[in-house]
Amino acid sequence: MSTDADISRLAEHLDRARSVVVLTGAGVSAESGIPTFRDALTGLWARYDPTELATPEAFAADPATVTRWYDERRQSVARCEQNPAHEALANLERALVDRDASFLLVTQNVDRLHHRAGSERLVELHGTLCVWRCTKTGREFEDLPMPFEEYPPKSADGGLLRPGVVWFGEQLPHGAMERAEDATMACDLFISIGTSAVVYPAAGLISTAARAGATTVEITLEPTPASGAVDISILGKAGEIMPRVVGAMGGG
Ligand code: OAD
């Protein structure tokens, strides 16, 4: 089916939906200039080995290098702007909430661009670069100096500051996955946008939605392991597709 036809179908599903869950990944922030994780060449992991940087063991072995790398990402994210995909999702939330439908945005992204675009019903499954946590007390800090004066940065509580993101092998933030799963099991429309659908438990939400009887949709630049299983698969840029989808709602 053509992209135009799929966009119209998705808009019709949104017009009828009583409960919508959207899962986003790095592809939603790609058009803001933030590298995705796995896209060849530009992917963040293409240049770094995650096991060397994104694990508690890496932090314990070399906290200066790990915190410097995350602070560089924090600074580059601060220089980026939300893009039309983020804005379309914030508009979609307002349109659904205005007609008493339920909506939840479940993001794997740690850049807070959904917040900046105005999304409110939001779960950050993998934490955020904008919050750093004291290794001694667990207290969280925001609005910290940028860049840090030293690496690793020291906390006011006497420990070190680590980024408030989920590292490989760590638990997701308390309650985040439960909230995402509850909403997914109750939704009638599930839209996965800009994720390679290879990192669990987030990727498992797509099949959870299908098992719960929801219509499942994927919007991504290249096919993923989920593409063959969803009801509607749209290949394209989120920043182009999502504004067209929201614009087509209500017969627009
Ligand atoms: P990936 O880099 O794995 O996947 C990005 C997806 O976005 C791919 O399917 C691309 O085809 C697609 N994409 C790229 N540009 C796009 C665009 N402009 N519009 C739409 N889609 C686009 O990133 P994630 O799936 O988010 O976890 O990675 C999931 C997790 O893996 C991350 O949260 C991170 C990493 O390990 C942690 O750090 C815990």
Side-chain angles (χ1 to χ4, degrees), residues 57-242:
E57 295 75 18
F59 176 77
D62 186 353
T65 299
V66 170
T67 53
R68 184 187 302 277
W69 183 60
Y70 276 96
D71 197 27
E72 282 169 8
R73 287 177 61 195
R74 179 176 69 122
Q75 294 173 67
S76 65
V77 161
R79 290 190 293 269
C80 293
E81 294 293 325
Q82 65 265 25
N83 69 58
H86 298 108
E87 284 156 1
L89 285 167
N91 292 335
L92 174 61
E93 174 181 331
R94 282 188 285 271
L96 290 169
V97 168
D98 285 352
R99 65 168 166 80
D100 293 328
S102 65
F103 178 87
L104 184 65
L105 174 54
V106 179
T107 189
Q108 301 172 89
N109 299 339
V110 296
D111 55 37
R112 288 240 152 133
L113 290 182
H114 285 305
H115 287 75
R116 283 202 239 159
S119 291
E120 294 179 356
R121 301 189 177 197
L122 181 56
V123 171
E124 291 177 311
L125 280 188
H126 293 162
T128 174
L129 284 170
C130 306
V131 171
W132 289 59
R133 199 161 61 237
C134 175
T135 56
K136 183 178 167 196
T137 61
R139 189 151 68 111
E140 295 189 339
F141 297 85
E142 289 197 53
D143 305 324
L144 293 160
M146 192 182 302
F148 288 123
E149 285 120 30
E150 58 181 340
Y151 299 97
K154 297 212 175 18
S155 142
D157 293 357
L160 300 181
L161 283 174
R162 59 151 287 176
V165 301
V166 175
W167 280 331
F168 288 100
E170 287 191 317
Q171 294 295 315
L172 298 185
H174 179 67
M177 197 58 204
E178 292 77 4
R179 190 171 166 213
E181 280 177 332
D182 289 349
T184 299
M185 286 187 281
C187 76
D188 47 30
L189 179 60
F190 185 98
I191 310 172
S192 172
I193 311 176
T195 179
S196 57
V198 295
V199 173
Y200 285 75
L205 291 170
I206 302 169
S207 51
T208 299
R211 281 196 304 277
T215 298
T216 52
V217 183
E218 183 186 56
I219 298 167
T220 181
L221 210 49
E222 292 136 14
T224 75
S227 302
V230 294
D231 297 305
I232 301 175
S233 172
I234 301 174
L235 293 184
K237 289 187 172 184
E240 293 168 8
I241 300 292
M242 279 316 296

Side-chain angles (χ1 to χ4, degrees), residues 5-30:
D6 282 335
I7 286 173
S8 301
R9 273 175 75 200
L10 175 50
E12 286 161 16
H13 278 291
L14 282 166
D15 285 337
R16 295 195 301 270
R18 297 306 309 146
S19 174
V20 177
V21 172
V22 174
L23 170 69
T24 62
V28 164
S29 295

